[in-house]
């Protein structure tokens, strides 16, 4: 996939599907409803959900792609990722840490 350039193409198309402006309280986890007509909101949420999954499960791919962008592209990706994706991923991580089985020989405190 990488040698053929499919990942770069996919991520580039993915970001073209995202809205130019977005609500900071939208973490792209809203349940999507199947309707007769797709709305632009559905497309935005699907694209955002895909980006969230790339950041969660393939962070090295996301980072490598981001590094290959021009400055304008980097700023757009960074703005979306830092204001929407990172807080959602951090929330998930802190929840996992707080609900994990406690160990006698290790202590972890999470601050939001």
């Amino acid at each position: 996939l990488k040698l053929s350039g499919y990942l770069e193409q996919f991520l580039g198309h993915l970001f073209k599907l995202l809205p130019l402006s977005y609500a900071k309280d939208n973490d792209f986890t809203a349940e999507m409803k199947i309707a007769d007509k797709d709305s632009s909101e559905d497309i935005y949420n699907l694209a955002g959900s895909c980006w969230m999954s790339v950041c969660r499960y393939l962070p090295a791919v996301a980072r490598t792609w981001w590094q290959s962008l021009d400055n304008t592209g980097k700023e757009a990706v960074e703005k979306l990722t830092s204001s929407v994706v990172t807080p959602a991923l951090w929330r998930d991580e802190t929840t996992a840490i707080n609900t994990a089985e406690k160990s006698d020989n290790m202590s972890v405190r999470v601050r939001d």
Side-chain angles (χ1 to χ4, degrees), residues 53-66:
S53 293
V54 168
C55 290
R56 176 176 283 136
Y57 301 113
L58 303 169
V61 170
R63 193 170 33 256
T64 301
W65 173 73
W66 176 79

Side-chain angles (χ1 to χ4, degrees), residues 45-103:
N45 281 327
L46 180 59
S49 177
C50 287
W51 178 241
M52 178 84 73
S53 293
V54 168
C55 290
R56 176 176 283 136
Y57 301 113
L58 303 169
V61 170
R63 193 170 33 256
T64 301
W65 173 73
W66 176 79
Q67 290 172 340
S68 72
L69 298 175
D70 62 9
N71 286 340
T72 305
K74 282 182 179 179
E75 287 175 17
V77 171
E78 189 171 345
K79 183 177 178 185
L80 172 74
T81 304
S82 65
S83 47
V84 178
V85 176
T86 301
L89 294 178
W90 179 248
R91 219 176 13 258
D92 292 348
E93 287 295 317
T94 57
T95 300
I97 290 169
N98 286 330
T99 59
E101 186 177 323
K102 307 297 182 223
S103 173

Side-chain angles (χ1 to χ4, degrees), residues 12-27:
H13 292 306
L14 186 69
F15 260 82
K16 289 176 185 170
L17 293 173
L18 288 168
L20 295 175
S21 62
Y22 44 86
K24 291 194 178 204
D25 60 342
N26 182 1
D27 61 4

